Amino acid sequence: MIEFLLFCGGSLVIFLGYFRLQQAYSYPFLNPLLLSVVSISLGLLIFGIPYEQYIGGAGYVNHLLEPAVVLLGYPLYKQLPILYKQWRQIAVICALASVITLTVSVCLARVLGLDAWLIKSIVALNITTPVSMSTALELGGSESIAAVVPLIAGLTGSIIGVLWLGWLRIVSKQVVDCEQSTDNPESQKVIGMAIGSVSHAVGTASISKKYPIASAYASTALIICAMITALIAPVYVPFLLSL
């Protein structure tokens, strides 16, 4: 009970503290998830607490992942009237994003000389953590590694995703620099599809306040990409590895 209150409660308090900090200053690098991971990791190292002991108390937070994935369907349901007319384009974009992510991940990993089991653990980096873990398990990879890789992808997208789209001039600098806007809907659609396709819920949460239109498209993209990747990865990844 003490470990539950200390580790689980402490983790939530740390996250909420950084969440308030990000709300106050709205700086991309003040990502509450990133700062929480760094702070907790440093705390474990400084106080010499084994990870097994920490996860024994804080592991209950992991049980929230499954219902969280189900809840992602709610924003999709809310935005159905807006997205209905464009479902064909959205489906094609998500399918391409899923196939390209798997292809690039496998090919790059093979060039770097990674073992097959490790490749199977990291290929589903563009989808939300619970789906990535189950996909890796089905492929014969490691669930633990599969839980970390999507986090890195999500944090990267949430911190530099929109900036990167601006640097590439895919979206206008005006949209990137705005505090909050419902203008430039076409640019916001691009932001939403890009972030949702590769940075899942973490990236989507980071743009939800600043780009409300993009958030709707990102929610849709992350759900569809998760479904497509989970369906094709067990067949497509072994095929790529056999080449």
Side-chain angles (χ1 to χ4, degrees):
M1 186 63 181
I2 296 177
E3 288 188 351
F4 170 76
L5 293 174
L6 179 61
F7 296 135
C8 187
S11 298
L12 292 175
V13 168
I14 291 171
F15 178 83
L16 291 174
Y18 284 129
F19 180 75
R20 289 291 184 89
L21 183 65
Q22 187 187 47
Q23 283 188 318
Y25 294 99
S26 300
Y27 193 67
F29 289 93
L30 292 178
N31 186 286
L33 185 57
L34 172 63
L35 295 176
S36 297
V37 170
V38 172
S39 298
I40 292 171
S41 299
L42 288 175
L44 296 180
L45 288 172
I46 292 171
F47 294 103
I49 300 173
Y51 174 77
E52 292 74 14
Q53 182 182 355
Y54 166 77
I55 202 63
Y60 296 97
V61 178
N62 287 338
H63 298 309
L64 299 175
L65 288 173
E66 286 77 10
V69 174
V70 177
L71 289 173
L72 291 174
Y74 181 65
L76 176 61
Y77 171 75
K78 285 186 64 177
Q79 302 299 334
L80 280 178
I82 300 175
L83 303 168
Y84 179 74
K85 294 181 180 180
Q86 298 176 304
W87 70 269
R88 291 182 179 85
Q89 295 94 319
I90 292 172
V92 170
I93 291 170
C94 291
L96 288 173
S98 299
V99 171
I100 291 172
T101 300
L102 291 173
T103 304
V104 172
S105 299
V106 172
C107 293
L108 182 59
R110 293 189 69 177
V111 169
L112 295 174
L114 300 184
D115 293 334
W117 71 270
L118 185 54
I119 296 175
K120 294 174 182 178
S121 304
I122 66 175
V123 289
L125 77 169
N126 68 313
I127 57 177
T128 192
T129 299
V131 183
S132 176
M133 292 171 66
S134 62
T135 301
L137 184 63
E138 187 172 355
L139 286 169
S142 168
E143 284 185 294
S144 300
I145 295 176
V148 175
V149 176
L151 175 61
I152 297 172
L155 288 172
T156 303
S158 66
I159 293 172
I160 67 168
V162 178
L163 295 175
W164 181 253
L165 292 173
W167 291 335
L168 295 177
R169 298 184 179 180
I170 296 175
V171 298
S172 67
K173 191 175 185 296
Q174 178 186 359
V175 175
V176 174
D177 294 339
C178 72
E179 290 294 328
Q180 184 177 14
S181 175
T182 56
D183 299 328
N184 299 297
E186 294 303 319
S187 291
Q188 289 211 41
K189 291 175 186 178
V190 173
I191 292 172
M193 293 303 299
I195 297 296
S197 295
V198 297
S199 296
H200 47 84
V202 177
T204 300
S206 70
I207 64 172
S208 59
K209 182 179 179 181
K210 189 173 182 179
Y211 307 107
I213 298 175
S215 178
Y217 283 84
S219 298
T220 305
L222 74 90
I223 294 169
I224 296 175
C225 284
M227 293 189 295
I228 293 174
T229 302
L231 287 172
I232 68 173
V235 176
Y236 187 55
V237 171
F239 166 73
L240 290 175
L241 291 173
S242 67
L243 296 178

